[in-house]
Amino acid sequence: MIQKTVDNVSDALSGVTDTMTLMLGGFGLCGIPENAIKELVRLNIKELTCISNNAGVDDFGLGLLLQKKQIKKMISSYVGENEEFERQMLSGELDVELIPQGTLAERCRAAQGGFPAFYTPAGYGTEVADGKETREFNGKMYILEEAFKADFAFVKAWKGDEAGNLIFKGTARNFNPCMCGAAKITVAEVEELVPAGELDPNTIHIPGIFVQRIFQGERYEKRIEQRTVRKKI
Amino acid sequence: MLDKNGIAKRIAKELQDGYYVNLGIGIPTLVANYVPEGIAVEFQSENGVLGMGQFPFEGEEDADIINAGKQTITTLPGASFFDSATSFGMIRGQHVDLTILGAMEVSETGDIANWKIPGKMVKGMGGAMDLVASAENIIVAMMHTNRAGESKLLKTCSLPLTGVRCVKRIVTNLALLEVTENGFKLLERAPGVTVEEIEDATEGNLLIEGEIPEMHI
């Protein structure tokens, strides 16, 4: 068994420096790597390019990095819930590249799986296609999109083992599996870290080969963005 | 004239047994409340769930189970979770039968704009561009006119596009329309709405053939 465990978040982020490109899993605040984000804030690493579907909210998730102006560029599909983000974007302090959500996921998966690029119909005929190669297949138009290149991927899983194998829960899965192995170093934080052999190999979502470092996260807040409920009758 | 729930009710009549359906945020979400009796449909949310159920009971919310609007949800028997790339594989690969989404503008050729107002609202396209580029069957749910009273059914869209030549049907507070090669074909009038009122509220080419029935909802 190849051991992937690191002792704490500090060791997990060893080697992260200014101006790097990072991938961060999560959809909204669901399934975000809370511990890694807090450590990035503590280390005050700056001029980051962040690839993440969303940008958190003002006081949680990637919003924490935005508050301290640690992000130079965001690559996202939807950034609607963050006023500080909007302010920095409109004032020109923050460079923002908005791309279709499926394209974002696939650019991660392409990096993970060794494809330099792929064709997708998403965004054809819109400003997303500006400057990109287009091609017709079977009478339909597609645009060429390239795999991401990133230094670190920070993902969050439900359970993991010492070998780096990961299991996700519910919709907290989202972009996390796509980002594993899509950067030079993948760091996984998990709610529950168990010894190798305790997880049934049949139930593994992401094999440890895609993960370089794994650690047990602490004090997960798991904030809910839109608490919607119905009353018991 | 229809309210938002009325629009959702009319769209729900377009659902067919065995459909996998993606619902956008806003009026489309309401469609789930009006699935006709006796048919089975499954709702897909692009953040990674098929088989979405109702909102959870108070106290039973799970931060790890949300929809694309970031609302807490529940799942139904037969539900599944999956990653974002798989989710958009379902969409791009045309395994999702019907996409229902809102719009700011639709053109008479079926172009749609719903993600950006330059200088004002720049939140991003989310999954909308993937959905409209791939779905075989797209229904737009929206008000016929904007807050300033201007038509949202146009000759050409003025806002940045989300997709081109993709919208098939539109249900508004005034009418049900189909996008054809020659423009918006009026299929049904909303209750109490006249053909003239629909003509006045439609900037793009409107095709009116014969008697236009009033919709049943």
Side-chain angles (χ1 to χ4, degrees), chain B residues 3-4 10 21 31 33 35 37 69 97 101 108-109 113 120 122 136 144 172 175 182 185 194 211 214:
Chain B
D3 61 7
K4 287 178 178 181
R10 179 59 193 84
V21 183
V31 173
N33 300 331
V35 179
E37 291 275 326
D97 299 288
L101 76 175
E108 63 187 31
T109 56
K120 273 190 192 163
V122 191
E136 293 258 348
H144 212 98
T172 74
N182 302 311
K185 186 178 177 185
T194 66
E211 274 301 295
E214 187 171 290

Side-chain angles (χ1 to χ4, degrees), chain A residues 27-28 30 54 77-81 86 89-90 98-103 105-106 109 120-128 140 156 169-175 177-178 191 222-232, chain B residues 46-49 54-74 81-86 88 92 94 115-116 119-120 122-127 129-130 133-134 160-164:
Chain A
F27 186 98
C30 182
N54 312 92
S77 87
Y78 189 83
V79 293
E81 302 359 297
E86 215 161 337
M89 178 171 62
L90 293 172
L98 292 168
I99 62 174
Q101 196 174 131
T103 299
E106 203 60 29
R109 190 159 72 170
T120 175
Y124 178 77
T126 77
E127 62 184 56
V128 164
K140 185 170 172 146
K156 190 259 172 182
K169 177 170 164 267
T171 55
R173 192 182 315 190
N174 57 63
F175 289 84
C178 314
E191 287 178 54
K222 291 204 194 180
R223 200 184 289 186
I224 292 174
E225 229 166 303
Q226 305 283 341
R227 188 178 300 274
T228 44
V229 294
R230 66 192 151 120
K231 286 253 189 299
K232 270 185 188 161
Chain B
E46 63 267 25
N47 60 315
V49 54
Q54 290 180 276
F55 294 142
F57 288 120
E58 228 170 325
E60 292 176 10
E61 317 87 275
D62 183 340
D64 290 331
I65 303 179
I66 63 167
N67 64 18
K70 287 117 183 171
Q71 297 171 310
T72 44
I73 55 157
T74 59
F81 296 115
F82 36 86
D83 67 73
S84 300
T86 303
F88 282 91
R92 220 182 291 109
Q94 301 185 332
W115 75 281
K116 183 178 185 182
K120 273 190 192 163
V122 191
K123 292 177 187 290
M125 65 290 281
M129 282 195 184
D130 308 272
S134 299
L161 294 178
T162 308
V164 292

